[in-house]
Amino acid sequence: AIRLENVSRVYPGGIRALDGVSLHIEQGEWVAVMGPSGSGKTTLLNLLDGLDKPTAGRVLVLGTDLGRLDPDEAATFRREKIGLIFQGFHFVPYLTALENVMLAQYYHSIVDKKQACAILERLGMADRTHHLPSQLSGGEQQRVCIARALVNEPQVVLADEPTGNLDERNEAEVMNIFRDLHLEGKTILMVTHNHDIGRRSGSQVLLNHGRIVRQRFTA
Amino acid sequence: AIRLENVSRVYPGGIRALDGVSLHIEQGEWVAVMGPSGSGKTTLLNLLDGLDKPTAGRVLVLGTDLGRLDPDEAATFRREKIGLIFQGFHFVPYLTALENVMLAQYYHSIVDKKQACAILERLGMADRTHHLPSQLSGGEQQRVCIARALVNEPQVVLADEPTGNLDERNEAEVMNIFRDLHLEGKTILMVTHNHDIGRRSGSQVLLNHGRIVRQRFTA
Ligand SMILES: Nc1ncnc2c1ncn2[C@@H]1O[C@H](COP(=O)(O)OP(=O)(O)OP(=O)(O)O)[C@@H](O)[C@H]1O
Ligand SMILES: Nc1ncnc2c1ncn2[C@@H]1O[C@H](COP(=O)(O)OP(=O)(O)OP(=O)(O)O)[C@@H](O)[C@H]1O
Ligand SMILES: [Mg+2]
Ligand SMILES: [Mg+2]
């Protein structure tokens, strides 16, 4: 479902955020991506979401070469197939929690609104749907971010530190959601610094200085 | 060093983010504040920093009633005495990492610049000082946030989830810095969801629904 072929991402100034990375992830796998701060994890996820383009190499998601899509096609592909939980949230500050989640949906029918409310409710956010992001706690913001990424039931879930701001109980609930997604056959790539969370996945990829240094299987 | 006397913070709409909280922390104590998402931890820190005012009760820091300071006095007090590591970072997006840290300093002498560079270097950020926040990874941003809060060597350190985005090695280095601050007699109030981190402090305060439900000592 996910394939990187000798992918590099070099920033102006010469920083090699990713350096010749090759990776193949089958449909339905749950993979944890780990590594030190600055090792290229967020960069990797942004390339898989089509938000960023590699400096070299190819990025294929569900058989599609993201580099060959024009901006409209990329936006449609991203919305239909991929859910990205951003490390930095990236909300629209003047829209409510519910509106931010519904931004991910194509139409805004009654059914869509119900779906958006349902996932917010599952994440314990039912009584905060009309708050602006600035009126939410850090962990509440993170949960809205998760809801937005998952509301369309994407085939590929990219999660960038999805539990960094969460307490134990919310973290456990988020892990239950991921376990359900896994049982439904979704492909999950989860960046985390938390070794316990990392161990829940079927396998782990370790990055360091923009390179994959280790791939191991824990299932 | 820190005293809250029956403090409440009610938001428009009636949400009681803090509800009749009384707390006394001695100079030189290291206290962990823990509790579920939405329990009022960030609200508590914002009141102690003078960024927010209580709806009821008094907030005293180093003997000063923050509610009696005018905006200029509050800004000066905050800059000289308190270092707040924000959960949400709050950088100036068009200033570099170094400039964001130096914003916390009064003058911008050569000595000040050296101090800013020194703390960034201690946090492993020496080769990222001229990056904008958008050109930094999540963990790099968090470390700049820590540098900004500590560069003035404040008497009172308020840390809101200071290691949420950090890998093990960086987390350990940040904990070393806090241990040194503690040995220097600084007062530390640290919000964290991480029980291991919470245990490093001398005592723990547990919040739930805006109230203190438990205070216990672990030293
Ligand atoms: N401006 C606001 N208007 C209304 N409610 C608010 C506002 N700001 C925060 N809240 C609410 O106040 C409560 C406490 O928020 P706070 O940020 O203090 O929680 P927290 O304990 O830091 O949580 P977390 O662990 O998720 O960071 C939350 O339920 C939040 O929704
Ligand atoms: N626009 C940019 N220009 C220059 N360098 C950048 C830019 N964006 C990111 N970087 C650098 O690329 C490196 C990789 O960043 P990335 O965000 O992928 O790291 P990460 O593994 O997600 O780290 P963390 O665990 O701290 O979130 C970092 O060292 C960062 O400073
Ligand atoms: Mg990252
Ligand atoms: Mg908070």
Side-chain angles (χ1 to χ4, degrees):
Chain A
I2 290 174
R3 192 183 285 276
L4 292 115
E5 297 177 350
N6 207 21
V7 165
S8 290
R9 178 64 172 102
V10 185
Y11 285 114
I15 290 171
R16 304 191 72 85
L18 283 184
D19 193 8
V21 168
S22 293
L23 183 63
H24 174 57
I25 296 175
E26 304 278 356
Q27 179 70 34
E29 278 198 66
W30 181 352
V31 178
V33 178
M34 306 186 69
S37 176
S39 54
K41 308 180 295 296
T42 294
T43 304
L44 174 64
L45 261 50
N46 286 340
L47 290 174
L48 290 173
D49 194 37
L51 283 175
D52 191 20
K53 295 250 189 293
T55 329
R58 287 207 307 165
V59 178
L60 298 107
V61 178
L62 298 169
T64 302
D65 181 343
L66 299 188
R68 317 203 72 147
L69 300 177
D70 66 40
D72 282 332
E73 292 169 327
T76 303
F77 185 84
R78 179 181 311 132
R79 193 180 54 213
E80 292 182 3
K81 308 290 188 195
I82 304 174
L84 173 52
I85 301 165
F86 295 96
Q87 182 174 17
F89 304 168
H90 300 308
F91 291 118
V92 179
Y94 51 84
L95 295 181
T96 65
L98 179 61
E99 288 168 336
N100 266 286
V101 173
M102 291 183 70
L103 270 188
Q105 296 171 317
Y106 325 157
Y107 310 107
H108 293 151
S109 67
I110 304 284
V111 171
D112 281 343
K113 191 171 180 179
K114 281 196 169 190
Q115 267 186 318
C117 287
I119 184 143
L120 283 166
E121 184 166 347
R122 179 157 186 199
L123 286 156
M125 294 293 296
D127 53 359
R128 293 285 185 275
T129 55
H130 302 302
H131 282 229
L132 297 177
S134 60
Q135 297 170 331
L136 295 174
S137 78
E140 291 167 346
Q141 290 178 3
Q142 188 154 45
R143 286 179 275 158
V144 174
C145 209
I146 293 168
R148 176 182 56 186
L150 301 183
V151 69
N152 277 342
E153 301 187 359
Q155 276 304 310
V156 175
V157 178
L158 306 172
D160 203 344
E161 313 257 4
T163 63
N165 280 294
L166 298 179
D167 53 310
E168 280 175 308
R169 187 172 154 202
N170 276 300
E171 186 177 84
E173 181 53 32
V174 169
M175 284 299 109
N176 286 341
I177 290 174
F178 276 93
R179 184 205 52 201
D180 290 351
L181 292 170
H182 180 56
L183 292 172
E184 289 162 24
K186 307 289 197 282
T187 305
I188 301 171
L189 198 61
M190 177 182 294
V191 171
T192 182
H193 283 304
N194 183 321
H195 288 278
D196 296 325
I197 301 271
R199 268 193 288 273
R200 305 265 190 114
S201 52
S203 64
Q204 294 166 26
V205 169
L206 271 73
L207 280 181
N208 200 6
H209 296 303
R211 293 178 185 177
I212 293 181
V213 295
R214 211 160 137 211
Q215 292 188 47
R216 62 168 182 262
F217 299 91
T218 51
Chain B
I2 290 175
R3 192 184 285 277
L4 292 115
E5 297 177 351
N6 208 20
V7 165
S8 290
R9 177 64 172 100
V10 184
Y11 285 113
I15 290 173
R16 305 191 72 83
L18 283 184
D19 193 9
V21 168
S22 292
L23 182 63
H24 175 55
I25 297 176
E26 304 278 357
Q27 180 69 33
E29 277 198 66
W30 181 353
V31 178
V33 178
M34 306 186 69
S37 177
S39 54
K41 307 180 295 297
T42 295
T43 304
L44 174 65
L45 260 51
N46 286 341
L47 290 174
L48 290 174
D49 193 37
L51 284 176
D52 190 21
K53 296 251 188 296
T55 331
R58 285 206 307 163
V59 178
L60 298 107
V61 178
L62 299 169
T64 302
D65 181 344
L66 298 188
R68 317 203 70 146
L69 300 178
D70 67 41
D72 282 332
E73 292 168 326
T76 303
F77 185 83
R78 179 180 311 132
R79 191 180 55 213
E80 292 182 1
K81 307 290 187 196
I82 304 174
L84 172 52
I85 301 165
F86 294 97
Q87 182 173 18
F89 303 168
H90 301 308
F91 291 118
V92 178
Y94 51 85
L95 295 183
T96 65
L98 179 60
E99 289 168 336
N100 266 285
V101 173
M102 290 182 69
L103 270 187
Q105 296 171 315
Y106 326 158
Y107 309 106
H108 292 153
S109 67
I110 304 282
V111 172
D112 281 341
K113 191 171 181 180
K114 282 196 170 193
Q115 267 185 318
C117 288
I119 184 144
L120 283 166
E121 184 167 345
R122 180 158 184 199
L123 286 156
M125 294 293 296
D127 52 359
R128 293 285 185 272
T129 55
H130 302 302
H131 282 229
L132 297 178
S134 60
Q135 297 170 330
L136 295 175
S137 77
E140 291 167 348
Q141 290 178 1
Q142 189 154 44
R143 285 178 275 157
V144 174
C145 210
I146 292 168
R148 178 182 55 187
L150 301 183
V151 69
N152 278 341
E153 302 187 358
Q155 277 304 312
V156 174
V157 178
L158 306 173
D160 203 344
E161 313 256 4
T163 63
N165 280 294
L166 298 180
D167 53 311
E168 281 176 307
R169 188 173 154 201
N170 276 300
E171 186 177 83
E173 181 53 32
V174 169
M175 284 299 110
N176 285 341
I177 290 173
F178 276 92
R179 183 206 53 202
D180 290 350
L181 293 170
H182 179 57
L183 293 172
E184 289 162 22
K186 306 292 196 283
T187 305
I188 301 172
L189 198 61
M190 177 182 295
V191 170
T192 181
H193 283 302
N194 182 321
H195 289 278
D196 296 324
I197 303 269
R199 270 192 287 271
R200 306 266 188 111
S201 52
S203 62
Q204 294 166 26
V205 168
L206 271 73
L207 280 180
N208 200 5
H209 295 303
R211 293 179 184 175
I212 292 181
V213 296
R214 210 161 139 209
Q215 291 187 46
R216 63 169 182 261
F217 298 91
T218 51

